[in-house]
Amino acid sequence: MATPQPAMEPRNPGEAKAHIARIRKDKGLSESGNTRSHNVTDLESALSLLSEKLHAKDTHFLLELIQNADDNSYGENVTPSLSITFGKDFLRLDCNEKGFLPNNVDAICRIGQSTKSGSNHTSGYIREKGIGFKSVFKVADVVLVASINTLSNSTRSSHLLSPGADNDNLAKDLRSLQPSLLIFLRRLRRIDVKIIGSSQA
């Protein structure tokens, strides 16, 4: 069983890397990444099946990511903001939240272990199944997350879209996001959307 880690910021890159290595070991992954346990394969299959069953529309994950950003913690002197950039084969989100702590990294690598302050709310399957962020794997094969705990706090996630992703519908749904969406969010005050190759923003 994984050992619970304190919610404190790593003091240096070495501590951050050690934390990731500990998670990989707990998940049954080898240091080289070439050896995969049956447990890892089973969990990947379960997560894929769960994501498929929970919603029929591929682009529903956009609302889950916005909801995730709304649940983030923000500094006192910042305007909580989310920037979404969509290109031919990628989707990138930039959020000016405080940044990841070790317990957030643990949670994003698990199912049903959200650290979000709104995780007890009843709206949305992100609240019920704990796979909100993982729903990006409905359209993405690779997800990269970079978090910076500095005076210019920020978290960036880049999603490399699968060959079978419905890019047209994704672009359509991004264009259909309305300013009135902010009325239903608790923290986010600004959402910027940029579609590369389009004059609209």
Side-chain angles (χ1 to χ4, degrees):
M1 179 179 294
T3 302
Q5 300 299 321
M8 25 186 355
E9 184 178 344
R11 290 169 293 186
N12 53 62
E15 286 191 358
K17 290 180 180 179
H19 188 75
I20 297 297
R22 188 161 48 244
I23 292 175
R24 289 178 59 81
K25 181 179 179 181
D26 290 339
K27 297 293 184 184
L29 296 172
S30 68
E31 288 300 316
S32 66
N34 294 325
T35 303
R36 294 158 57 85
S37 69
H38 291 298
N39 184 48
V40 172
T41 302
D42 289 346
L43 286 174
E44 287 182 348
S45 298
L47 183 58
S48 176
L49 179 62
L50 191 56
S51 179
E52 291 284 344
K53 295 296 183 181
L54 281 172
H55 58 82
K57 189 175 182 182
D58 286 354
T59 54
H60 182 76
F61 80 95
L62 286 172
L63 297 180
E64 296 297 334
L65 295 180
I66 292 173
Q67 192 172 50
N68 260 9
D70 189 50
D71 286 338
N72 288 338
S73 297
Y74 296 88
E76 294 181 1
N77 299 318
V78 303
T79 299
S81 304
L82 175 67
S83 174
I84 303 174
T85 304
F86 174 59
K88 181 180 179 181
D89 56 359
F90 76 92
L91 181 72
R92 193 181 90 190
L93 284 81
D94 294 274
C95 183
N96 63 343
E97 64 153 337
K98 286 184 176 180
F100 274 29
L101 292 173
N103 63 327
N104 302 129
V105 179
D106 290 336
I108 206 171
C109 295
R110 302 179 66 185
I111 300 175
Q113 300 293 324
S114 175
T115 59
K116 300 294 186 181
S117 59
S119 58
N120 290 326
H121 293 189
T122 57
S123 62
Y125 69 71
I126 184 175
R127 311 304 186 194
E128 300 171 359
K129 305 300 183 184
I131 69 163
F133 177 83
K134 290 84 166 177
S135 65
V136 299
F137 290 105
K138 180 83 171 177
V139 297
D141 287 331
V142 178
V143 177
L144 307 174
V145 180
S147 183
I148 305 174
N149 282 300
T150 64
L151 292 178
S152 57
N153 294 330
S154 67
T155 294
R156 169 184 296 175
S157 63
S158 297
H159 314 118
L160 305 183
L161 302 179
S162 307
D166 193 338
N167 288 3
D168 290 339
N169 270 339
L170 183 53
K172 179 181 178 182
D173 281 8
L174 285 169
R175 290 191 179 96
S176 69
L177 291 176
Q178 298 296 316
S180 58
L181 174 64
L182 293 171
I183 298 175
F184 303 97
L185 301 176
R186 296 176 302 137
R187 295 191 177 96
L188 275 181
R189 292 296 176 265
R190 182 183 180 93
I191 300 176
D192 295 314
V193 177
K194 179 179 181 181
I195 300 177
I196 295 178
S198 171
S199 59
Q200 299 179 345

